[in-house]
Amino acid sequence: EGDEPSSGVLLIDGKRHGEVPGSFQLASGKKYRIEIEKKGYRSFPRSVKLKPGEERAVTFKVERVEP
């Protein structure tokens, strides 16, 4: 069963982009690989491509990693 941490780091194309939860702007027309990094959790990356003018909320599944 998934577990949801209250915070983490947003990675876009493997680069740190800021803390989550939060709002972020991305250029349209490009495909991005987005994931959440949090110690003790494994995330499942998502690919996102926005159309011009599109706004989208993206949610992530994470699993607690057994110590």
Side-chain angles (χ1 to χ4, degrees):
E1 183 74 24
D3 190 14
E4 188 173 322
S6 60
S7 65
V9 175
L10 176 70
L11 299 175
I12 299 177
D13 294 334
K15 297 178 184 163
R16 290 174 165 256
H17 199 73
E19 297 289 319
V20 292
S23 297
F24 303 92
Q25 293 185 347
L26 301 173
S28 62
K30 181 181 180 218
K31 188 174 183 180
Y32 296 93
R33 182 177 187 268
I34 301 174
E35 62 186 305
I36 303 297
E37 181 179 77
K38 174 79 173 179
K39 186 176 180 176
Y41 289 85
R42 178 171 63 111
S43 73
F44 298 86
R46 306 260 322 258
S47 291
V48 174
K49 185 174 182 179
L50 301 174
K51 297 175 184 170
E54 178 182 8
E55 290 185 18
R56 185 185 308 177
V58 179
T59 57
F60 291 86
K61 178 182 175 189
V62 294
E63 278 184 355
R64 185 177 291 277
V65 176
E66 296 298 322

